[in-house]
Amino acid sequence: MAGRIEIDLFSTLDGVMQAPGGPDEDPSGRFAFGGWQAPLTDPAVGEQVIDGIRRMDALLLGRRTYEIFAAYWPKQLDSPGGADNEIAAAFDAIPKYVASRSEPALTWNDSHLLGPDIASEIEILRDRHREIHVIGSVDFARTLVADSLFDQLNLWVYPIVLGSGRRLFPADGPAVRLEPVSSSTISPDGTLLLRYRPTGEVPATGDMT
């Protein structure tokens, strides 16, 4: 059976996915809310994320997210036990694949640059691995979603509205259709986990009358 491609993203209620982790993560476009996820963290969300990391046997990232991860996670290998140590060890043990139009320095252990034909590269990864996860990497995720080059989108939606910022579905993006797999409220504060799979082209429009 071919391996699965899963996309893991954190989103505000109005679809902003830019820089959830910290103020300096991605200030492009003068984004003023870097680290918006931090005050909304919840142990239940953390368990869901770690469960996905335990299952994956490869990590697939865009260049920007790769550089952020490579600068942080290897340094957590020597940290005391806990979630960061477990995640760092899991990432260290699996191959990391990077999608980029440039040639970034791949300093992280077992990192590999994908070729320009992303569809072909995805098929190679499916033959090589059981479960590949894309974490963050919004620009790269747009390509995968637009071309249906994924099996499941895991979307954690937080009850906050920011108004501006980078989104998976921009106003000038292509039309896509997704089929819901499951939905659940996983935090007392109202964070939702929505799972979708691709269904192909958007159906023809109709007349509600």
Side-chain angles (χ1 to χ4, degrees):
M1 180 179 294
R4 291 171 55 81
I5 307 291
E6 296 200 13
I7 303 172
D8 302 326
L9 290 168
F10 305 108
S11 173
T12 66
L13 195 59
D14 58 337
V16 175
M17 299 178 182
Q18 186 169 349
D24 300 324
E25 181 180 334
D26 179 9
S28 62
R30 298 183 180 180
F31 186 64
F33 298 103
W36 58 264
Q37 186 186 15
L40 303 170
T41 54
D42 182 274
V45 176
E47 279 301 314
Q48 290 278 354
V49 172
I50 291 176
D51 180 63
I53 291 172
R54 288 169 180 157
R55 295 195 315 270
M56 71 177 69
D57 63 339
L59 187 59
L60 176 57
L61 303 170
R63 178 193 58 81
R64 186 195 301 268
T65 301
Y66 173 82
E67 291 175 347
I68 293 169
F69 279 24
Y72 179 80
W73 288 113
K75 297 177 182 178
Q76 309 310 308
L77 287 169
D78 297 326
S79 65
D84 272 13
N85 181 264
E86 180 179 357
I87 294 170
F91 285 165
D92 188 68
I94 61 177
K96 277 75 67 177
Y97 299 97
V98 186
S100 175
R101 295 183 181 90
S102 60
E103 296 186 5
L106 302 183
T107 58
W108 200 359
N109 173 53
D110 203 1
S111 295
H112 311 273
L113 184 66
L114 297 184
D117 186 344
I118 294 300
S120 296
E121 294 285 356
I122 291 294
E123 289 308 307
I124 292 171
L125 294 183
R126 289 186 189 277
D127 290 338
R128 188 178 296 166
H129 298 286
R130 180 190 70 258
E131 186 168 318
I132 306 110
H133 280 237
V134 179
I135 301 178
S137 309
V138 176
D139 290 341
F140 178 51
R142 283 180 187 172
T143 298
L144 298 180
V145 171
D147 295 334
S148 296
L149 296 174
F150 73 104
D151 296 284
Q152 187 162 290
L153 169 63
N154 304 314
L155 191 60
W156 285 266
V157 181
Y158 290 78
I160 184 173
V161 173
L162 298 181
S164 64
R166 291 166 58 237
R167 292 168 162 84
L168 178 64
F169 305 110
D172 59 350
V176 297
R177 182 186 178 193
L178 302 175
E179 181 179 37
V181 175
S182 66
S183 63
S184 58
T185 303
I186 57 172
S187 165
D189 293 330
T191 300
L192 305 175
L193 174 54
L194 309 176
R195 302 185 189 274
Y196 296 95
R197 60 181 169 230
T199 61
E201 297 181 359
V202 174
T205 58
D207 188 342
M208 293 294 290
T209 59

